[in-house]
Amino acid sequence: MAKKTNSSALYILMFNMFIAMSGIGLVIPVMPQYLETFGVAGQALGFIIASFALGQFLFSPLAGDLSDKLGRKKLIIVGLVIFSASQLWFGLATYEWMLYAARFISGIGGAFLIPATMAFVADITTLEERGKGMGFLGASMSLGFMIGPALGGFLASVSLSFPFYMASLAALIAGIISLIILPDIKNTVSEIPSGPKKRENIITQMKNSVKTPYFMMLIIIFVFTFGIANFQTTFSLYVDHKYNYTPQDIAVVLTVGGFIGVIVQTLVVEKLFKRFGELNVILVNLVVAAIAFLLFFVVDGFALVLLVASIFSTATTLIRPAVNTVISKMAGNEQGFAAGMNNAYMSLGSMIGPALAGMFFDINISYPFIVGSIILLASWAITLIWIKRKKPII
Protein backbone atom coordinates (compact mmCIF):
# COMPACT_ATOMS: atom_id res chain seq x y z
CA MET A 1 0.00 0.00 0.00
CA ALA A 2 1.25 3.43 -0.83
CA LYS A 3 2.42 5.48 2.16
CA LYS A 4 1.35 8.73 0.58
CA THR A 5 -1.44 9.49 -1.84
CA ASN A 6 -0.22 9.93 -5.42
CA SER A 7 -2.22 13.04 -6.32
CA SER A 8 -1.18 13.26 -9.97
CA ALA A 9 -2.22 9.66 -10.64
CA LEU A 10 -5.50 10.24 -8.82
CA TYR A 11 -6.25 13.24 -11.04
CA ILE A 12 -5.66 11.18 -14.19
CA LEU A 13 -7.93 8.43 -12.88
CA MET A 14 -10.60 11.01 -12.10
CA PHE A 15 -10.27 12.41 -15.61
CA ASN A 16 -10.66 8.94 -17.14
CA MET A 17 -13.81 8.21 -15.16
CA PHE A 18 -15.13 11.66 -16.00
CA ILE A 19 -14.68 10.93 -19.71
CA ALA A 20 -16.26 7.47 -19.43
CA MET A 21 -19.29 8.74 -17.51
CA SER A 22 -19.61 11.72 -19.86
CA GLY A 23 -19.78 9.26 -22.73
CA ILE A 24 -22.53 7.29 -20.99
CA GLY A 25 -24.45 10.39 -19.90
CA LEU A 26 -24.04 12.03 -23.30
CA VAL A 27 -26.47 9.64 -24.94
CA ILE A 28 -29.24 9.54 -22.31
CA PRO A 29 -31.27 12.55 -23.53
CA VAL A 30 -30.93 11.28 -27.09
CA MET A 31 -31.97 7.67 -26.56
CA PRO A 32 -35.80 8.03 -26.73
CA GLN A 33 -35.69 9.76 -30.13
CA TYR A 34 -32.71 7.70 -31.34
CA LEU A 35 -34.53 4.43 -30.64
CA GLU A 36 -37.61 5.71 -32.44
CA THR A 37 -35.58 5.74 -35.65
CA PHE A 38 -35.29 1.95 -35.21
CA GLY A 39 -38.98 1.61 -34.32
CA VAL A 40 -38.34 0.36 -30.77
CA ALA A 41 -39.08 1.71 -27.26
CA GLY A 42 -38.93 0.84 -23.55
CA GLN A 43 -38.19 -2.88 -23.67
CA ALA A 44 -35.48 -2.37 -26.27
CA LEU A 45 -33.82 0.32 -24.16
CA GLY A 46 -33.87 -2.00 -21.17
CA PHE A 47 -32.18 -4.79 -23.11
CA ILE A 48 -29.66 -2.39 -24.65
CA ILE A 49 -28.57 -1.26 -21.19
CA ALA A 50 -28.62 -4.88 -20.02
CA SER A 51 -26.26 -5.75 -22.88
CA PHE A 52 -23.74 -3.27 -21.48
CA ALA A 53 -24.11 -4.81 -18.02
CA LEU A 54 -23.72 -8.34 -19.40
CA GLY A 55 -20.38 -7.42 -20.94
CA GLN A 56 -19.27 -5.94 -17.62
CA PHE A 57 -20.48 -8.94 -15.66
CA LEU A 58 -18.69 -11.51 -17.77
CA PHE A 59 -15.37 -9.69 -17.98
CA SER A 60 -15.05 -7.72 -14.71
CA PRO A 61 -13.65 -10.57 -12.58
CA LEU A 62 -11.12 -11.44 -15.28
CA ALA A 63 -10.16 -7.78 -15.58
CA GLY A 64 -9.77 -7.50 -11.82
CA ASP A 65 -7.35 -10.44 -11.75
CA LEU A 66 -5.42 -9.14 -14.76
CA SER A 67 -5.00 -5.76 -13.10
CA ASP A 68 -3.34 -7.54 -10.15
CA LYS A 69 -1.02 -9.44 -12.49
CA LEU A 70 -0.31 -7.02 -15.35
CA GLY A 71 -0.77 -3.66 -13.70
CA ARG A 72 -3.65 -1.22 -13.61
CA LYS A 73 -2.44 1.07 -16.40
CA LYS A 74 -2.62 -1.50 -19.20
CA LEU A 75 -6.18 -2.48 -18.28
CA ILE A 76 -7.32 1.15 -18.09
CA ILE A 77 -5.94 1.99 -21.54
CA VAL A 78 -7.46 -1.13 -23.11
CA GLY A 79 -10.79 -0.32 -21.50
CA LEU A 80 -10.82 3.23 -22.87
CA VAL A 81 -9.94 2.09 -26.39
CA ILE A 82 -12.68 -0.56 -26.38
CA PHE A 83 -15.16 1.97 -25.01
CA SER A 84 -14.22 4.42 -27.76
CA ALA A 85 -14.71 1.83 -30.52
CA SER A 86 -18.07 0.71 -29.14
CA GLN A 87 -19.45 4.25 -28.99
CA LEU A 88 -18.45 4.80 -32.61
CA TRP A 89 -20.14 1.56 -33.63
CA PHE A 90 -23.32 2.53 -31.77
CA GLY A 91 -23.48 5.82 -33.63
CA LEU A 92 -22.94 4.10 -36.97
CA ALA A 93 -25.49 1.33 -36.32
CA THR A 94 -28.05 0.69 -39.04
CA TYR A 95 -29.81 -2.37 -37.54
CA GLU A 96 -31.21 -2.98 -34.06
CA TRP A 97 -28.92 -5.96 -33.38
CA MET A 98 -25.91 -3.68 -33.85
CA LEU A 99 -27.09 -1.58 -30.91
CA TYR A 100 -27.02 -4.62 -28.61
CA ALA A 101 -23.63 -5.74 -29.88
CA ALA A 102 -22.12 -2.28 -29.53
CA ARG A 103 -23.34 -1.91 -25.95
CA PHE A 104 -22.06 -5.39 -25.05
CA ILE A 105 -18.61 -4.42 -26.29
CA SER A 106 -18.90 -1.14 -24.42
CA GLY A 107 -19.55 -3.18 -21.27
CA ILE A 108 -16.33 -5.09 -21.87
CA GLY A 109 -14.53 -1.75 -22.01
CA GLY A 110 -16.13 -0.74 -18.73
CA ALA A 111 -15.10 -4.07 -17.21
CA PHE A 112 -11.45 -3.36 -17.99
CA LEU A 113 -11.65 0.29 -16.96
CA ILE A 114 -13.65 0.46 -13.73
CA PRO A 115 -12.16 -2.33 -11.54
CA ALA A 116 -8.61 -1.34 -12.53
CA THR A 117 -9.37 2.28 -11.68
CA MET A 118 -10.87 1.42 -8.29
CA ALA A 119 -7.93 -0.86 -7.47
CA PHE A 120 -5.54 1.88 -8.62
CA VAL A 121 -7.11 4.29 -6.12
CA ALA A 122 -6.65 1.70 -3.37
CA ASP A 123 -2.98 1.30 -4.38
CA ILE A 124 -2.17 5.01 -4.21
CA THR A 125 -4.08 5.98 -1.06
CA THR A 126 -3.55 5.18 2.60
CA LEU A 127 -6.27 3.35 4.50
CA GLU A 128 -7.21 6.60 6.24
CA GLU A 129 -7.51 8.43 2.92
CA ARG A 130 -9.30 5.60 1.08
CA GLY A 131 -12.76 7.11 1.58
CA LYS A 132 -11.54 10.48 0.36
CA GLY A 133 -9.98 8.93 -2.74
CA MET A 134 -13.12 6.94 -3.53
CA GLY A 135 -15.18 10.07 -2.94
CA PHE A 136 -13.07 12.07 -5.41
CA LEU A 137 -13.37 9.25 -7.94
CA GLY A 138 -17.12 9.20 -7.42
CA ALA A 139 -17.25 12.98 -7.81
CA SER A 140 -15.51 12.78 -11.17
CA MET A 141 -18.01 10.13 -12.26
CA SER A 142 -20.92 12.31 -11.14
CA LEU A 143 -19.41 15.33 -12.86
CA GLY A 144 -19.14 13.37 -16.09
CA PHE A 145 -22.67 12.13 -15.74
CA MET A 146 -23.74 15.72 -15.06
CA ILE A 147 -22.02 17.34 -18.02
CA GLY A 148 -22.66 14.43 -20.37
CA PRO A 149 -26.43 14.88 -20.72
CA ALA A 150 -26.04 18.64 -21.15
CA LEU A 151 -23.54 18.08 -23.95
CA GLY A 152 -25.70 15.31 -25.41
CA GLY A 153 -28.74 17.55 -25.59
CA PHE A 154 -26.67 20.24 -27.28
CA LEU A 155 -24.85 17.93 -29.69
CA ALA A 156 -28.11 16.23 -30.68
CA SER A 157 -29.02 19.45 -32.49
CA VAL A 158 -26.34 18.49 -35.03
CA SER A 159 -27.66 14.95 -35.44
CA LEU A 160 -28.86 12.13 -33.20
CA SER A 161 -25.67 10.18 -33.93
CA PHE A 162 -23.26 13.04 -33.28
CA PRO A 163 -23.14 12.62 -29.47
CA PHE A 164 -21.92 9.04 -29.92
CA TYR A 165 -19.09 10.19 -32.18
CA MET A 166 -17.99 12.78 -29.61
CA ALA A 167 -18.08 10.18 -26.83
CA SER A 168 -15.85 7.93 -28.94
CA LEU A 169 -13.35 10.73 -29.53
CA ALA A 170 -13.25 11.73 -25.85
CA ALA A 171 -12.54 8.17 -24.70
CA LEU A 172 -9.74 7.83 -27.26
CA ILE A 173 -8.16 11.08 -26.04
CA ALA A 174 -8.36 9.86 -22.44
CA GLY A 175 -6.60 6.64 -23.46
CA ILE A 176 -3.77 8.56 -25.10
CA ILE A 177 -3.33 10.81 -22.06
CA SER A 178 -3.26 7.76 -19.78
CA LEU A 179 -0.65 6.09 -21.95
CA ILE A 180 1.62 9.12 -21.75
CA ILE A 181 1.11 10.34 -18.18
CA LEU A 182 -0.35 7.63 -15.93
CA PRO A 183 2.27 5.70 -13.89
CA ASP A 184 2.36 1.92 -14.20
CA ILE A 185 1.21 0.57 -10.83
CA LYS A 186 1.00 -3.08 -9.88
CA ASN A 187 -0.41 -4.67 -6.75
CA THR A 188 2.72 -4.45 -4.60
CA VAL A 189 1.32 -6.77 -1.93
CA SER A 190 -0.07 -9.48 -4.19
CA GLU A 191 2.61 -11.86 -2.90
CA ILE A 192 0.58 -12.23 0.28
CA PRO A 193 -2.46 -14.27 -0.71
CA SER A 194 -5.72 -13.63 1.09
CA GLY A 195 -7.94 -16.00 -0.84
CA PRO A 196 -8.10 -18.55 -3.65
CA LYS A 197 -5.87 -17.66 -6.58
CA LYS A 198 -7.20 -19.97 -9.29
CA ARG A 199 -10.20 -18.21 -10.75
CA GLU A 200 -10.65 -19.82 -14.11
CA ASN A 201 -14.15 -18.60 -14.93
CA ILE A 202 -16.91 -16.33 -13.75
CA ILE A 203 -18.75 -19.12 -11.90
CA THR A 204 -15.65 -20.08 -9.91
CA GLN A 205 -14.97 -16.46 -9.06
CA MET A 206 -18.54 -15.89 -7.90
CA LYS A 207 -18.23 -18.94 -5.66
CA ASN A 208 -14.96 -17.63 -4.25
CA SER A 209 -16.54 -14.27 -3.52
CA VAL A 210 -18.90 -15.97 -1.05
CA LYS A 211 -15.88 -16.72 1.14
CA THR A 212 -14.73 -13.12 1.34
CA PRO A 213 -15.47 -10.96 4.42
CA TYR A 214 -17.15 -8.36 2.22
CA PHE A 215 -19.55 -10.77 0.48
CA MET A 216 -22.62 -9.13 2.00
CA MET A 217 -21.47 -5.78 0.62
CA LEU A 218 -21.39 -7.41 -2.82
CA ILE A 219 -24.97 -8.57 -2.34
CA ILE A 220 -25.94 -5.06 -1.29
CA ILE A 221 -24.29 -3.50 -4.35
CA PHE A 222 -26.19 -5.99 -6.54
CA VAL A 223 -29.58 -5.24 -4.98
CA PHE A 224 -28.91 -1.51 -4.82
CA THR A 225 -27.81 -1.37 -8.46
CA PHE A 226 -30.84 -3.42 -9.49
CA GLY A 227 -33.02 -0.78 -7.86
CA ILE A 228 -31.46 2.36 -9.31
CA ALA A 229 -31.22 0.74 -12.75
CA ASN A 230 -34.98 1.16 -12.92
CA PHE A 231 -34.50 4.94 -12.68
CA GLN A 232 -31.55 5.11 -15.06
CA THR A 233 -33.34 2.99 -17.65
CA THR A 234 -36.78 4.55 -17.66
CA PHE A 235 -36.46 8.15 -16.40
CA SER A 236 -35.90 9.67 -19.83
CA LEU A 237 -38.70 7.54 -21.29
CA TYR A 238 -41.00 8.37 -18.34
CA VAL A 239 -40.71 12.15 -18.65
CA ASP A 240 -40.82 11.90 -22.44
CA HIS A 241 -44.13 10.01 -22.31
CA LYS A 242 -45.73 11.84 -19.35
CA TYR A 243 -44.51 15.41 -19.88
CA ASN A 244 -43.23 15.39 -23.48
CA TYR A 245 -39.78 16.48 -22.30
CA THR A 246 -37.26 17.26 -25.03
CA PRO A 247 -33.66 16.00 -24.95
CA GLN A 248 -32.71 19.45 -23.65
CA ASP A 249 -35.26 19.23 -20.79
CA ILE A 250 -33.97 15.79 -19.79
CA ALA A 251 -30.41 17.10 -19.97
CA VAL A 252 -31.22 19.93 -17.54
CA VAL A 253 -32.74 17.57 -14.96
CA LEU A 254 -29.82 15.16 -15.07
CA THR A 255 -27.24 17.95 -15.15
CA VAL A 256 -28.57 19.69 -12.04
CA GLY A 257 -28.77 16.41 -10.15
CA GLY A 258 -25.25 15.51 -11.20
CA PHE A 259 -23.94 18.94 -10.19
CA ILE A 260 -25.34 18.54 -6.69
CA GLY A 261 -23.79 15.07 -6.54
CA VAL A 262 -20.38 16.47 -7.46
CA ILE A 263 -20.55 19.07 -4.70
CA VAL A 264 -21.62 16.47 -2.14
CA GLN A 265 -18.89 13.99 -3.08
CA THR A 266 -16.18 16.63 -3.19
CA LEU A 267 -17.02 18.53 -0.01
CA VAL A 268 -19.18 16.29 2.17
CA VAL A 269 -18.40 12.58 1.64
CA GLU A 270 -15.20 12.39 3.71
CA LYS A 271 -16.77 14.34 6.59
CA LEU A 272 -19.86 12.13 6.60
CA PHE A 273 -17.77 8.95 6.56
CA LYS A 274 -15.62 10.12 9.46
CA ARG A 275 -18.53 11.35 11.58
CA PHE A 276 -21.17 8.70 10.94
CA GLY A 277 -19.30 5.83 9.26
CA GLU A 278 -19.79 4.41 5.80
CA LEU A 279 -22.40 1.87 6.88
CA ASN A 280 -24.70 4.48 8.43
CA VAL A 281 -24.38 6.62 5.31
CA ILE A 282 -25.49 3.62 3.24
CA LEU A 283 -28.50 2.92 5.47
CA VAL A 284 -29.85 6.47 5.53
CA ASN A 285 -29.49 7.12 1.83
CA LEU A 286 -31.10 3.84 0.76
CA VAL A 287 -34.27 5.04 2.50
CA VAL A 288 -33.97 8.54 1.01
CA ALA A 289 -33.58 7.11 -2.50
CA ALA A 290 -36.59 4.82 -2.03
CA ILE A 291 -38.76 7.75 -0.90
CA ALA A 292 -37.60 9.84 -3.86
CA PHE A 293 -38.75 7.05 -6.18
CA LEU A 294 -42.26 7.22 -4.76
CA LEU A 295 -42.37 11.01 -4.86
CA PHE A 296 -42.35 10.89 -8.67
CA PHE A 297 -46.02 9.87 -8.46
CA VAL A 298 -47.13 12.98 -6.56
CA VAL A 299 -45.02 15.70 -8.14
CA ASP A 300 -46.07 17.68 -11.17
CA GLY A 301 -44.28 20.43 -13.03
CA PHE A 302 -40.70 20.77 -14.13
CA ALA A 303 -39.41 22.34 -10.90
CA LEU A 304 -40.71 19.53 -8.67
CA VAL A 305 -39.49 16.81 -11.02
CA LEU A 306 -36.09 18.50 -10.95
CA LEU A 307 -36.12 18.62 -7.13
CA VAL A 308 -37.04 14.95 -6.68
CA ALA A 309 -34.54 13.81 -9.30
CA SER A 310 -31.85 15.84 -7.53
CA ILE A 311 -32.70 14.25 -4.16
CA PHE A 312 -32.48 10.79 -5.72
CA SER A 313 -29.20 11.64 -7.42
CA THR A 314 -27.68 12.96 -4.19
CA ALA A 315 -28.66 9.87 -2.22
CA THR A 316 -27.22 7.44 -4.76
CA THR A 317 -24.14 9.63 -5.04
CA LEU A 318 -23.42 9.01 -1.37
CA ILE A 319 -24.16 5.28 -1.44
CA ARG A 320 -21.71 4.29 -4.17
CA PRO A 321 -18.45 5.59 -2.62
CA ALA A 322 -19.57 4.32 0.79
CA VAL A 323 -20.00 0.76 -0.49
CA ASN A 324 -16.79 0.95 -2.54
CA THR A 325 -14.85 2.16 0.50
CA VAL A 326 -16.19 -0.61 2.75
CA ILE A 327 -15.27 -3.28 0.21
CA SER A 328 -11.83 -1.80 -0.35
CA LYS A 329 -11.08 -1.61 3.37
CA MET A 330 -12.15 -5.23 3.88
CA ALA A 331 -10.38 -6.55 0.77
CA GLY A 332 -6.88 -6.60 2.25
CA ASN A 333 -4.28 -7.55 -0.33
CA GLU A 334 -6.55 -8.44 -3.25
CA GLN A 335 -7.77 -5.03 -4.34
CA GLY A 336 -7.97 -6.08 -7.99
CA PHE A 337 -10.11 -9.13 -7.27
CA ALA A 338 -12.35 -7.16 -4.88
CA ALA A 339 -12.83 -4.36 -7.39
CA GLY A 340 -13.54 -6.90 -10.13
CA MET A 341 -16.17 -8.68 -8.06
CA ASN A 342 -17.65 -5.33 -6.99
CA ASN A 343 -18.07 -4.42 -10.65
CA ALA A 344 -19.38 -7.91 -11.49
CA TYR A 345 -22.16 -7.77 -8.90
CA MET A 346 -22.94 -4.20 -9.92
CA SER A 347 -23.10 -5.33 -13.54
CA LEU A 348 -25.38 -8.23 -12.64
CA GLY A 349 -27.80 -5.78 -11.04
CA SER A 350 -27.46 -3.43 -14.00
CA MET A 351 -28.20 -6.32 -16.34
CA ILE A 352 -31.32 -7.68 -14.67
CA GLY A 353 -32.73 -4.32 -13.53
CA PRO A 354 -32.96 -2.57 -16.93
CA ALA A 355 -34.31 -5.64 -18.69
CA LEU A 356 -37.17 -5.92 -16.19
CA ALA A 357 -37.64 -2.14 -16.02
CA GLY A 358 -38.12 -1.90 -19.78
CA MET A 359 -40.74 -4.64 -19.71
CA PHE A 360 -42.51 -3.07 -16.71
CA PHE A 361 -42.47 0.31 -18.46
CA ASP A 362 -44.21 -1.09 -21.52
CA ILE A 363 -46.97 -2.44 -19.22
CA ASN A 364 -47.31 0.71 -17.12
CA ILE A 365 -44.91 3.65 -17.01
CA SER A 366 -45.17 3.83 -13.20
CA TYR A 367 -44.24 0.20 -12.48
CA PRO A 368 -40.43 0.60 -12.70
CA PHE A 369 -40.49 3.26 -9.98
CA ILE A 370 -42.64 1.12 -7.66
CA VAL A 371 -40.35 -1.87 -8.13
CA GLY A 372 -37.27 0.31 -7.70
CA SER A 373 -38.52 1.66 -4.38
CA ILE A 374 -39.25 -1.84 -3.08
CA ILE A 375 -35.80 -3.04 -4.11
CA LEU A 376 -34.04 -0.14 -2.39
CA LEU A 377 -35.95 -0.77 0.82
CA ALA A 378 -34.95 -4.42 0.57
CA SER A 379 -31.33 -3.27 0.30
CA TRP A 380 -31.79 -1.25 3.48
CA ALA A 381 -33.18 -4.27 5.34
CA ILE A 382 -30.38 -6.56 4.15
CA THR A 383 -27.73 -4.05 5.18
CA LEU A 384 -29.26 -3.48 8.62
CA ILE A 385 -29.53 -7.22 9.35
CA TRP A 386 -25.92 -7.81 8.26
CA ILE A 387 -24.60 -5.00 10.44
CA LYS A 388 -26.46 -6.25 13.52
CA ARG A 389 -25.39 -9.87 13.02
CA LYS A 390 -21.79 -9.45 11.89
CA LYS A 391 -20.89 -6.13 13.53
CA PRO A 392 -18.17 -5.52 10.91
CA ILE A 393 -15.17 -3.45 11.90
CA ILE A 394 -14.40 -0.95 9.14
Side-chain angles (χ1 to χ4, degrees):
M1 181 182 295
K3 294 182 179 180
K4 185 178 180 180
T5 300
N6 187 329
S7 298
S8 61
L10 180 60
Y11 294 148
I12 296 297
L13 296 173
M14 291 169 61
F15 175 74
N16 287 341
M17 294 310 298
F18 166 77
I19 292 297
M21 292 302 106
S22 294
I24 294 174
L26 201 71
V27 305
I28 292 178
V30 185
M31 287 301 284
Q33 292 185 12
Y34 189 69
L35 290 179
E36 286 179 4
T37 64
F38 291 86
V40 294
Q43 183 173 331
L45 178 58
F47 283 120
I48 287 171
I49 297 176
S51 298
F52 179 92
L54 177 61
Q56 275 195 312
F57 173 70
L58 293 177
F59 286 85
S60 285
L62 171 63
D65 275 356
L66 289 177
S67 75
D68 278 340
K69 297 175 182 178
L70 304 178
R72 321 301 189 197
K73 179 176 179 177
K74 294 182 180 67
L75 272 293
I76 289 171
I77 294 172
V78 170
L80 287 168
V81 171
I82 293 175
F83 187 78
S84 173
S86 66
Q87 290 284 47
L88 180 61
W89 187 0
F90 199 92
L92 294 173
T94 52
Y95 297 98
E96 185 180 345
W97 70 265
M98 298 176 68
L99 301 178
Y100 299 113
R103 292 305 286 174
F104 178 81
I105 294 173
S106 186
I108 297 175
F112 280 85
L113 175 64
I114 297 174
T117 300
M118 292 170 60
F120 208 130
V121 171
D123 289 339
I124 62 176
T125 56
T126 64
L127 192 62
E128 293 75 18
E129 294 179 318
R130 188 70 48 78
K132 181 178 180 180
M134 291 295 182
F136 280 178
L137 190 66
S140 67
M141 295 171 70
S142 296
L143 182 63
F145 205 77
M146 173 193 76
I147 294 178
L151 290 175
F154 173 75
L155 295 173
S157 61
V158 178
S159 76
L160 291 177
S161 298
F162 194 60
F164 301 99
Y165 303 151
M166 292 298 99
S168 174
L169 178 61
L172 184 60
I173 292 174
I176 295 172
I177 292 175
S178 297
L179 177 64
I180 297 172
I181 301 177
L182 195 65
D184 196 0
I185 300 292
K186 291 187 178 181
N187 182 13
T188 56
V189 292
S190 61
E191 298 86 357
I192 308 173
S194 60
K197 300 305 292 183
K198 291 184 178 180
R199 305 183 185 100
E200 298 176 351
N201 54 61
I202 182 65
I203 302 301
T204 302
Q205 295 198 27
M206 297 289 283
K207 288 180 179 178
N208 288 335
S209 71
V210 177
K211 305 173 186 177
T212 63
Y214 49 85
F215 172 65
M216 188 52 64
M217 279 288 108
L218 296 175
I219 294 297
I220 291 166
I221 198 66
F222 162 71
V223 180
F224 159 70
T225 305
F226 180 94
I228 66 170
N230 288 272
F231 176 84
Q232 295 173 334
T233 304
T234 57
F235 174 75
S236 60
L237 292 171
Y238 180 81
V239 294
D240 176 59
H241 281 65
K242 188 172 183 179
Y243 304 112
N244 293 319
Y245 280 10
T246 65
Q248 289 74 27
D249 293 328
I250 299 171
V252 169
V253 174
L254 297 177
T255 299
V256 172
F259 179 71
I260 295 174
V262 170
I263 294 176
V264 169
Q265 287 185 312
T266 304
L267 302 178
V268 180
V269 163
E270 185 182 15
K271 295 177 181 178
L272 287 177
F273 288 178
K274 288 183 177 180
R275 182 170 181 178
F276 301 106
E278 292 89 352
L279 294 175
N280 287 325
V281 171
I282 293 170
L283 286 171
V284 170
N285 285 284
L286 282 171
V287 175
V288 172
I291 294 174
F293 253 139
L294 296 178
L295 286 176
F296 276 107
F297 296 115
V298 297
V299 300
D300 192 15
F302 186 82
L304 289 177
V305 171
L306 178 62
L307 175 62
V308 173
S310 297
I311 292 173
F312 180 84
S313 176
T314 301
T316 55
T317 288
L318 288 169
I319 294 171
R320 285 194 185 278
V323 173
N324 292 343
T325 301
V326 171
I327 292 176
S328 180
K329 285 184 176 180
M330 300 180 73
N333 302 315
E334 291 194 337
Q335 293 295 329
F337 174 65
M341 294 313 302
N342 184 347
N343 207 43
Y345 278 83
M346 180 175 65
S347 301
L348 189 60
S350 297
M351 179 172 55
I352 299 174
L356 291 178
M359 291 187 288
F360 285 138
F361 183 87
D362 286 342
I363 298 172
N364 187 299
I365 64 174
S366 298
Y367 285 177
F369 295 92
I370 297 174
V371 173
S373 180
I374 294 173
I375 293 298
L376 289 173
L377 290 175
S379 297
W380 171 82
I382 292 172
T383 306
L384 186 62
I385 293 171
W386 179 68
I387 293 173
K388 288 186 174 181
R389 288 183 177 179
K390 298 297 182 180
K391 295 180 173 61
I393 300 175
I394 306 301

